[in-house]
Amino acid sequence: MNVKKFADAIRILSMDGVQKANSGHPGAPMGMADMAEVLFRRVMKHNPKNPRWANRDRFVLSNGHASMLLYSLLHLSGYDVSLDELKNFRQLHSKTAGHPEYGELPGIETTTGPLGQGFANAVGMALAEKSLAAQFNKEGHKVIDHHTYVFLGDGCLMEGISHEAASLAGVWKLGKLIVLYDDNGISIDGEVKDWFKDDTAKRFEAYGWHVIRDVDGHDADSISKAIVGAKSIHDKPSLLMCRTTIGFGSPNKANTAASHGAPLGGEEVALTRKSLGWEHDEPFFVPEEIYNAWDQSARGAIDEAAWNAVFAAYEKAYPSEAAELKRRLANELPKGWEKSFDEAIKKWQSEDVKVASRKASQMSLDILGNLLGELIGGSADLSPSNLTAWKGVKDFNPETGEGTYLRFGVREFGMLAILNGISLHGGFIPYGGTFLMFMEYARNAVRMAALMKIRSIYVFTHDSIGLGEDGPTHQPVEQIANLRMTPNVVTWRPADLVETGVAWKMAIKRSKGPTALLLSRQNLAPQKRTEKQLALIEKGGYILQETNNKPSVILISTGSEVGVALKAAKALEDEKISVRVVSMPSPEFFEMQDAKYKEDVLPKAVKARVAVEAGWADYWYKYVGLDGKIIGMRSFGESGPAGELYEYFGITAEKVVEAAKSLL
């Protein structure tokens, strides 16, 4: 059989899927079909019957608009992706969504579509493989040994994140990262030569990559030879520049933008079948002999069985290491870690320690780093400010793969997208630090983590106007509300050392979404709590202090402003006004509690409520009601000492007292 038919099967299924949906991108799948056939049928180590096999090669379709390519590949290779799912492309509740969505179908390693991020995810996956191998492989026992393959196009390489991710991949010497560039010269607006003149090969060589030029993206031998060459290079990631024709096979729309983002049309689909020599007019029809030649189940089972034998020998020789690796790959936390950490939190509660919550975060990491071998992370060139390096942690060594502290440089977007890839790979709990303001640079990576429901921990310090003299360019205002409004993101804005410890604990325990820790630059006074109050912190909101159980007014606050609320409460009590102070470090966790608990903390009968937070004020109407008062920000900040800024913007105990009394 002509092997070209194997790639043509991808083209047929892809253009038929787009045509039936009357929506989608047929051009890229048709152009990359030969690359995909070589990779999935001849090169990749994967088992369709066990898509989560730990030592599989990873494949990332960074140009996710080509999703029908991936769906067709999975279907043909023997994954549990039915023909009916292909026919249901882009329909409501379909698993074959417009762009690949992690968790919807077996074989999808990450959600892609926002261009460049899949590539950055893949850098994270390759880093995780290298780090995990350094931690667990022994001489004669290579239990972690797989590659990460990426397809990307011109759009991915135009996005700024590709520069960040590619640069780090070169620095980290990720030799098992192999990228196939769909170099077709076409994007939505037409021929890219008028706005994309980069010498891509030289650019990647400057990053420290191994580059293979002039790969014929429609010749299986040329593609195979390039991949073999890339796999022989162990100290550099590889870029394979595959020259392709978008919409390959379409007589009238190939090599034009017309094939990029719209169905070919019924007449052109028929002409394409004829042009390819495809003898079957029925949509979605693939002959049985092609299915049989495509099915990777038998080869995948052999590959996995061989690895199982390697792991069995490893387990016999190194039982404790094998048990630890199995635990981490199963995403299970070690026994006893929480009890040990809780003891530290209780000790902190008994002490009178006044520190900034960023310092409290580092104190938490000092303990967690020794309890959890899976912690890996760093900072975007702000380690001394974010305080993300814990006592005893070692920098990642690109030569050996040892060390788990990552210095990302000034690359916030790349950092958080790479963390997503590390999380998706498995075996690690990733965290990354920057100023809260610069979450803006990485905003879409936060959103993608939330969309995929994966664990990633963000250490966002300098969380308010409290950072002072750096001024409004560095002072976050709307960012806290922005994070809280993002589905499946949990925020914690702790008021002191103890709440910070609890925030870290809950972030570690939460495996189904990202957690943002919003931390102060300025020192925060320790708060007195009973043992019962200490246990209630993890509920996200709790009664920190009250005159009696029948308050006339409720003050709700977070982080550095809890101290402001407590000072206001004392002044109100001096005037014989009954006050309750609620610390709400995590509104998202508070909302997870049952109705009774929420009513106990914020009884509906008490209408006089004031919220105090040095962030965008409007968020708090949900808790104080339209008739309540909010002491917060309604503008950007100013440059000046923190204390003066709080006075200038009216975030003071006096203003809280004034607001509370106006409600009575």
Side-chain angles (χ1 to χ4, degrees):
M1 183 185 298
N2 183 352
V3 294
K4 201 72 176 173
K5 295 299 177 189
F6 301 142
D8 287 343
I10 299 171
R11 295 185 173 100
I12 295 299
L13 292 173
S14 295
M15 72 175 185
D16 284 350
V18 173
Q19 189 64 36
K20 186 175 187 301
N22 197 31
S23 171
H25 302 75
M30 296 170 74
M32 294 189 292
D34 298 293
M35 296 153 56
E37 183 271 325
V38 170
L39 189 62
F40 266 67
R41 279 192 69 246
R42 313 183 196 195
V43 175
M44 269 181 56
K45 186 172 57 177
H46 61 123
N47 185 0
K49 303 309 177 190
N50 184 13
R52 305 304 297 170
W53 168 36
N55 202 47
R56 68 192 181 279
D57 289 337
R58 271 64 169 177
F59 172 71
V60 174
L61 182 68
S62 188
N63 43 350
H65 56 271
S67 56
M68 269 305 300
L69 171 81
L70 181 54
Y71 302 147
S72 300
L73 276 172
L74 297 174
H75 170 70
L76 291 167
S77 298
Y79 287 80
D80 186 17
V81 180
S82 69
L83 195 61
D84 285 339
E85 288 290 356
L86 269 59
K87 293 177 180 179
N88 204 30
F89 178 54
R90 284 188 164 225
Q91 304 310 298
L92 183 62
H93 303 312
S94 169
K95 294 180 180 180
T96 48
H99 291 82
E101 294 185 13
Y102 175 71
E104 289 298 316
L105 285 176
I108 297 177
E109 299 285 0
T110 181
T111 298
T112 56
L115 294 177
Q117 280 198 71
F119 173 39
N121 294 164
V123 171
M125 293 175 189
L127 176 72
E129 190 275 342
K130 184 169 184 172
S131 183
L132 210 60
Q135 290 183 31
F136 288 97
N137 287 355
K138 304 291 184 182
E139 188 174 349
H141 300 273
K142 293 182 72 172
V143 288
I144 301 296
D145 182 20
H146 52 266
H147 286 76
T148 302
Y149 295 95
V150 185
F151 281 8
L152 53 70
D154 293 306
C156 288
L157 294 180
M158 288 184 225
E159 286 285 0
I161 192 174
S162 73
H163 296 257
E164 298 181 21
S167 179
L168 283 167
V171 168
W172 291 334
K173 299 181 182 293
L174 301 180
K176 289 184 178 176
L177 175 64
I178 298 176
V179 177
L180 286 79
Y181 168 28
D182 178 34
D183 184 11
N184 62 37
I186 300 290
S187 69
I188 294 175
D189 277 1
E191 295 185 39
V192 302
K193 61 182 176 61
D194 292 331
W195 54 85
F196 185 48
K197 294 182 180 292
D198 300 19
D199 189 327
T200 299
K202 287 184 179 178
R203 172 186 155 193
F204 273 75
E205 285 172 343
Y207 290 143
W209 285 59
H210 171 64
V211 177
I212 301 177
R213 296 168 168 81
D214 302 320
V215 179
D216 184 343
H218 298 301
D219 181 82
D221 290 338
S222 179
I223 298 163
S224 296
K225 181 180 177 182
I227 294 174
V228 169
K231 291 180 73 173
S232 72
I233 304 297
H234 303 298
D235 62 346
K236 294 181 179 181
S238 292
L239 178 72
L240 282 54
M241 301 190 64
C242 303
R243 190 64 190 172
T244 63
T245 300
I246 191 172
F248 182 92
S250 171
N252 299 301
K253 296 188 177 182
N255 204 34
T256 71
S259 68
H260 172 86
L264 297 179
E267 183 177 339
E268 189 68 12
V269 165
L271 290 173
T272 302
R273 276 182 158 75
K274 186 176 181 180
S275 172
L276 293 172
W278 191 262
E279 299 173 354
H280 313 281
D281 293 332
E282 181 184 347
F284 297 99
F285 179 80
V286 175
E288 195 65 30
E289 59 268 26
I290 291 181
Y291 271 121
N292 291 337
W294 254 109
D295 195 333
Q296 297 298 296
S297 301
R299 185 165 72 93
I302 292 169
D303 285 341
E304 185 174 356
W307 181 79
N308 287 338
V310 170
F311 192 85
Y314 175 76
E315 194 168 25
K316 185 175 181 180
Y318 301 96
S320 60
E321 288 87 344
E324 174 71 359
L325 179 57
K326 286 167 74 173
R327 176 191 71 76
R328 285 172 55 174
L329 291 174
N331 199 25
E332 296 173 354
L333 295 170
K335 293 179 180 178
W337 81 273
E338 188 174 355
K339 182 180 179 182
S340 296
F341 192 51
D342 279 343
E343 288 173 359
I345 293 172
K346 287 178 182 177
K347 182 173 181 291
W348 290 336
Q349 182 61 68
S350 68
E351 298 171 344
D352 193 27
V353 181
K354 183 177 184 178
V355 293
S357 51
R358 60 171 175 158
K359 179 60 180 177
S361 171
Q362 186 180 50
M363 293 168 68
S364 299
L365 278 169
D366 285 343
I367 298 169
L368 292 169
N370 290 298
L371 295 174
L372 303 168
E374 53 263 58
L375 266 184
I376 187 170
S379 170
D381 200 50
L382 286 168
S383 296
S385 295
N386 299 147
L387 303 181
T388 39
W390 49 273
K391 196 179 299 181
V393 72
K394 294 180 180 178
D395 280 7
F396 178 77
N397 184 337
E399 302 297 334
T400 65
E402 297 173 342
T404 55
Y405 192 72
L406 305 170
R407 299 189 185 271
F408 289 96
V410 187
R411 303 182 181 96
E412 296 88 357
F413 194 4
M415 173 178 70
L416 296 197
I418 286 169
L419 294 187
N420 288 347
I422 295 172
S423 182
L424 288 160
H425 178 279
F428 289 101
I429 297 175
Y431 70 93
T434 186
F435 289 177
L436 175 56
M437 184 65 246
F438 302 132
M439 178 276 292
E440 293 288 357
Y441 281 128
R443 179 74 182 85
N444 202 253
V446 175
R447 186 176 189 271
M448 294 298 283
L451 192 62
M452 290 188 278
K453 298 181 175 67
I454 58 175
R455 176 166 46 202
S456 196
I457 301 173
Y458 311 130
V459 182
F460 291 147
T461 69
H462 297 60
D463 68 344
S464 72
I465 59 170
L467 69 88
E469 290 85 347
D470 277 339
T473 60
H474 285 52
Q475 292 167 7
V477 172
E478 72 275 27
Q479 285 67 37
I480 299 175
N482 187 314
L483 287 165
R484 287 174 180 156
M485 289 188 294
T486 304
N488 204 39
V489 171
V490 160
T491 64
W492 286 86
R493 190 166 185 256
D496 65 356
L497 171 59
V498 169
E499 283 192 3
T500 305
V502 173
W504 258 109
K505 181 178 78 167
M506 301 308 287
I508 294 293
K509 291 176 68 173
R510 185 172 187 255
S511 62
K512 298 299 183 182
T515 300
L517 307 178
L518 314 177
L519 307 171
S520 73
R521 175 181 184 254
Q522 69 271 40
N523 286 342
L524 305 179
Q527 303 301 333
K528 298 185 185 305
R529 297 178 185 86
T530 65
E531 192 171 331
K532 180 181 178 182
Q533 286 174 312
L534 182 60
L536 291 174
I537 295 173
E538 62 186 55
K539 291 185 179 292
Y542 65 103
I543 301 167
L544 178 62
Q545 181 178 298
E546 63 181 351
T547 311
N548 53 53
N549 62 4
K550 293 182 179 180
S552 298
V553 62
I554 298 176
L555 309 181
I556 310 167
S557 194
T558 77
S560 47
E561 288 70 67
V562 168
V564 175
L566 289 169
K567 187 177 178 182
K570 185 178 186 308
L572 289 165
E573 287 173 339
D574 288 346
E575 297 188 35
K576 309 304 181 185
I577 297 172
S578 177
V579 187
R580 172 177 293 179
V581 177
V582 171
S583 177
M584 194 177 287
S586 179
E588 297 85 7
F589 262 83
F590 183 71
E591 290 299 328
M592 295 177 198
Q593 308 311 313
D594 60 38
K596 182 181 183 304
Y597 180 78
K598 288 189 283 188
E599 171 65 17
D600 287 344
V601 175
L602 298 176
K604 296 182 181 68
V606 183
K607 303 296 184 183
R609 299 182 184 187
V610 181
V612 194
E613 185 177 63
W616 190 247
D618 287 358
Y619 172 82
W620 290 99
Y621 280 119
K622 66 184 289 184
Y623 290 114
V624 303
L626 294 179
D627 295 325
K629 297 289 185 179
I630 303 166
I631 305 299
M633 296 295 293
R634 296 190 182 275
S635 69
F636 293 119
E638 294 283 349
S639 181
E644 293 180 23
L645 292 175
Y646 273 81
E647 288 285 343
Y648 177 77
F649 287 107
I651 305 175
T652 64
E654 291 75 19
K655 290 294 184 182
V656 176
V657 169
E658 183 181 312
K661 290 170 70 174
S662 74
L663 296 171
L664 298 174

